[in-house]
C-alpha cells in the first residue's frame, strides 16, 4: 500500500502552493522551544523552498535546538529573532510560514517581526482561539507537522533534497515518540516508508536524535526523579524539576524532552505531569494522558493547550501553588472522565 495524499487535505495544500507562488524570500518559524517536529519541519520546508529558488530563513522565538543542527547539510540558514539581522530579513521577506503551531502567543517574539507578511500556517494541532490569520493547512489527524510538509512536497512533486527527507523523518520520529504513541498511524508509517525509500537511514537518524544525550540530562533526571510523586488512587503521577539543580547543571528546556514519560509509564497512571519553574513566579506544566482524559482541555483551563494526549501550559504562580492546583484539577478530570454525570460510562 503506497501513500496517497488524503483527499480532504488537497484543497488546503493547493492554497499553500498558491500562496507561495512567485515568492522570493520566506521566513520560517515555529513555536517556543522548538521540538523535533517544529525544527525538522522547518528544515524540510526550508530546504524544499531553497531548492525551488526561494531564499528561506528560520527565525524562531527561541534558539534553534543544537541537537537538530545535524539536519542541515553544511550551511545554517538560521537568524536569531532577538538580533538585528532577523528584523532586516523579515522586512525584506514576502511570505512567512508558521510550522507546528497556529497560535499567536506560541510564536513569541517572532510575531511582531512577521505581522505584516502574508502568512501560511501548517500545523496538526487542534485550532485554538488565538489563531494566526492567513492561509492555513491544518489537519489534527496528522501524526506530525512533518507529515503535512510531506503532503505539500508530494503535491508539488518535490524536489526531494536530502535535508528535506531527513527533516520530515525526524519530525515524525520525534512527535510519535519513536513510533510508540497513538499518532503512529498507518498513514504515518506509509510516509516514513516513502522517506526511507528516498534515502533516509533510520539507524543513523535514531543515533543522531536519541544516541547523543548530554551527560547533564541524566544528572538532571536523577534529581528530578527524587521529586517523583504518584497518587495511585487517582492514577495521577507527577515529577518536579528542581530549579537549583537545573541551573547548576546549565540545563536547557530541550533537556526535559520526554522526562514526563517516566511518570507516564508507571503502571496504573492515567495522567502524568511535569512541573518546572521557568522564572520567578511562573511554572511550566506538561500534561500527558494515557487516555481517555483530554489533557488539551485540561491545559486550556490553565491558559495553555496542545493535543488530546499531550499538552502544556505556562502558569503564573509559585511552583508549589501551581502544582497543588494542577494536581487537584487533574485528579478531578480523571474522576469526571471515569464517571460522567448522568450517563452510562459504558456507552
Ligand atoms: Mn508537532
Amino acid at each position: 500500500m503506497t501513500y496517497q495524499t488524503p483527499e480532504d487535505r488537497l484543497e488546503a495544500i493547493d492554497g499553500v502552493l498558491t500562496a507561495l507562488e512567485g515568492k522570493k524570500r520566506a521566513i520560517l518559524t515555529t513555536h517556543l522551544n522548538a521540538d523535533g517536529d517544529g525544527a525538522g519541519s522547518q528544515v524540510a520546508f526550508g530546504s524544499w523552498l531553497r531548492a525551488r529558488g526561494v531564499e528561506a530563513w528560520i527565525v524562531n522565538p527561541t534558539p534553534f535546538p543544537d541537537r537538530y543542527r545535524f539536519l542541515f547539510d553544511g550551511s545554517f540558514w538560521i537568524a536569531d529573532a532577538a538580533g538585528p539581522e532577523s528584523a532586516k530579513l523579515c522586512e525584506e521577506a514576502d511570505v512567512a510560514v508558521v510550522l507546528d503551531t497556529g497560535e499567536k502567543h506560541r510564536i513569541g517574539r517572532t510575531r511582531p517581526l512577521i505581522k505584516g507578511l502574508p502568512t501560511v500556517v501548517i500545523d496538526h494541532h487542534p485550532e485554538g482561539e488565538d489563531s494566526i490569520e492567513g492561509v492555513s493547512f491544518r489537519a489534527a489527524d496528522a501524526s506530525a507537522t512533518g507529515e503535512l510538509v510531506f503532503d505539500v512536497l508530494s503535491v508539488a512533486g518535490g524536489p526531494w533534497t536530502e535535508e528535506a527527507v531527513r527533516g520530515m523523518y525526524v519530525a515524525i520520529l520525534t512527535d510519535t515518540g519513536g513510533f510508540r504513541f497513538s499518532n503512529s498511524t498507518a498513514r504515518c508509517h506509509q510516509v516514513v516508508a516513502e522517506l526511507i525509500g528516498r534515502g533516509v537511514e533510520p539507524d543513523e537518524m535514531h543515533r543522531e536524535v536519541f544516541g547523543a544525550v548530554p551527560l547533564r540530562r541524566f544528572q538532571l533526571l536523577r534529581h528530578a526523579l527524587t521529586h517523583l510523586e504518584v497518587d495511585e488512587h487517582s492514577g495521577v503521577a507527577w515529577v518536579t524539576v528542581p530549579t537549583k539543580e537545573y541551573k547548576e547543571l546549565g540545563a536547557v528546556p530541550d533537556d526535559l524532552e520526554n522526562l514526563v514519560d517516566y511518570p507516564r509509564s508507571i503502571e496504573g497512571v492515567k495522567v502524568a505531569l511535569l512541573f518546572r519553574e521557568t522564572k520567578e513566579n511562573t511554572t511550566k506544566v506538561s500534561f500527558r494522558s494515557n487516555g481517555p482524559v483530554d489533557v488539551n482541555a485540561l491545559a486550556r483551563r490553565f491558559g495553555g493547550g496542545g493535543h488530546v494526549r499531550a499538552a502544556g501550559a505556562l502558569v503564573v504562580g509559585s511552583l508549589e501553588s501551581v502544582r497543588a492546583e494542577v494536581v487537584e484539577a487533574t485528579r478531578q478530570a480523571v474522576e469526571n472522565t471515569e464517571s460522567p454525570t448522568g450517563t452510562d460510562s459504558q456507552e
Side-chain angles (χ1 to χ4, degrees), residues 254-275:
D254 201 36
D255 292 329
L256 303 172
E257 212 176 286
N258 304 327
L259 189 54
V260 70
D261 288 339
Y262 288 92
R264 186 189 196 170
S265 62
I266 297 167
E267 186 178 14
V269 166
K270 298 183 181 90
V271 179
L273 305 164
L274 179 136
F275 297 94

Side-chain angles (χ1 to χ4, degrees), residues 31 35 37-38 100 123-125 143-145 171 175 307:
H31 53 80
D35 57 6
D37 188 23
D100 201 35
D123 186 29
H124 71 131
H125 293 86
S143 60
T145 298
D175 248 30
H307 302 280

Side-chain angles (χ1 to χ4, degrees), residues 259-332:
L259 189 54
V260 70
D261 288 339
Y262 288 92
R264 186 189 196 170
S265 62
I266 297 167
E267 186 178 14
V269 166
K270 298 183 181 90
V271 179
L273 305 164
L274 179 136
F275 297 94
R276 177 173 73 95
E277 187 178 51
T278 52
K279 57 182 182 198
E280 223 192 304
N281 220 37
T282 305
T283 300
K284 167 90 208 271
V285 189
S286 300
F287 301 79
R288 294 292 182 275
S289 172
N290 286 323
V293 179
D294 177 357
V295 290
N296 178 35
L298 193 54
R300 284 191 184 273
R301 284 170 50 190
F302 292 94
H307 302 280
V308 174
R309 290 194 171 199
L314 212 52
V315 190
V316 175
S318 72
L319 186 67
E320 289 73 22
S321 68
V322 170
R323 186 171 54 199
E325 211 185 318
V326 172
V327 167
E328 189 44 42
T330 307
R331 281 194 183 112
Q332 280 171 16

Side-chain angles (χ1 to χ4, degrees), residues 6-16 18 136-137:
E7 292 274 344
D8 61 353
R9 294 183 187 173
L10 292 172
E11 199 181 320
I13 296 168
D14 254 8
V16 171
T18 305
S136 76
F137 174 24

Side-chain angles (χ1 to χ4, degrees), residues 77-152:
W77 18 280
I78 304 172
D80 177 6
E85 185 198 8
S86 61
K88 198 161 182 299
L89 282 170
C90 291
E91 249 167 57
E92 289 165 2
D94 45 19
V95 66
V97 183
V98 181
L99 296 142
D100 201 35
T101 182
E103 299 194 60
K104 289 170 188 163
H105 68 275
R106 296 283 289 141
I107 60 169
R109 62 178 5 133
T110 308
R111 191 181 159 202
L113 293 173
I114 62 165
K115 222 171 174 178
L117 294 174
T119 303
V120 173
V121 172
I122 302 177
D123 186 29
H124 71 131
H125 293 86
E127 193 166 355
E129 283 146 29
D130 194 23
S131 232
I132 296 170
E133 289 114 37
V135 171
S136 76
F137 174 24
R138 299 170 198 253
D141 63 338
S143 60
T145 298
E147 182 183 311
L148 302 177
V149 171
F150 180 88
D151 284 336
V152 174

